[in-house]
C-alpha cells in the first residue's frame, strides 16, 4: 500500500485517536501496521517521519515517549477569564 505523506500523517493521527488520544510509538506502529497490513519493518521510518511532521505542524506533542493529540484548548496560553 502506497500512501502520500499527508495521508500517512492523517492515518497516524487517526490511530492515536483510536487508542485514546495518546500512545507510545510502539502502539502507533502496531495500530498503523494493522490498519495498512504493512509489516513493521517497512513502517518504522515512515512513522517517525509522520510523527516529526505532525509535531512541526503542532498537531501532536511528545512527552516521556508518548505522543499526544493536541486539542484546540491545548493551544490557549491561559489568557482567558478564569473566574
Amino acid at each position: 500500500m502506497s500512501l502520500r505523506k499527508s495521508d500517512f500523517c492523517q492515518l497516524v493521527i487517526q490511530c492515536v485517536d483510536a487508542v485514546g488520544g495518546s500512545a507510545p510509538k510502539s502502539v502507533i506502529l502496531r495500530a498503523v501496521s494493522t490498519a495498512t497490513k504493512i509489516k513493521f519493518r517497512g513502517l518504522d521510518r515512515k512513522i517517525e517521519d509522520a510523527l516529526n511532521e505532525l509535531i512541526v505542524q503542532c498537531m501532536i506533542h511528545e512527552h516521556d515517549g508518548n505522543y499526544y493529540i493536541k486539542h484546540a484548548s491545548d493551544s490557549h496560553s491561559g489568557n482567558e477569564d478564569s473566574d
Side-chain angles (χ1 to χ4, degrees):
M1 172 182 264
S2 178
L3 294 170
R4 292 179 304 173
K5 188 174 184 177
S6 61
D7 292 338
F8 201 79
C9 287
Q10 185 61 35
L11 179 59
V12 168
I13 286 270
Q14 289 171 347
C15 287
V16 173
D17 188 41
V19 297
S22 68
K25 187 172 136 182
S26 60
V27 171
I28 297 167
L29 179 60
R30 179 170 284 131
V32 172
S33 177
T34 300
T36 62
K37 298 186 183 349
I38 297 173
K39 303 268 187 218
F40 285 179
R41 194 171 311 175
L43 285 177
D44 192 41
R45 185 66 196 163
K46 287 183 178 187
I47 296 277
E48 188 69 33
D49 289 345
L51 289 170
N52 289 335
E53 179 67 24
L54 292 166
I55 289 170
V56 167
Q57 293 176 7
C58 296
M59 296 181 75
I60 63 169
H61 68 277
E62 185 269 338
H63 181 72
D64 289 338
N66 285 314
Y67 294 88
Y68 299 84
I69 295 175
K70 284 193 171 187
H71 301 285
S73 61
D74 293 344
S75 64
H76 295 296
S77 60
N79 293 336
E80 297 179 7
D81 293 336
S82 58
D83 295 323

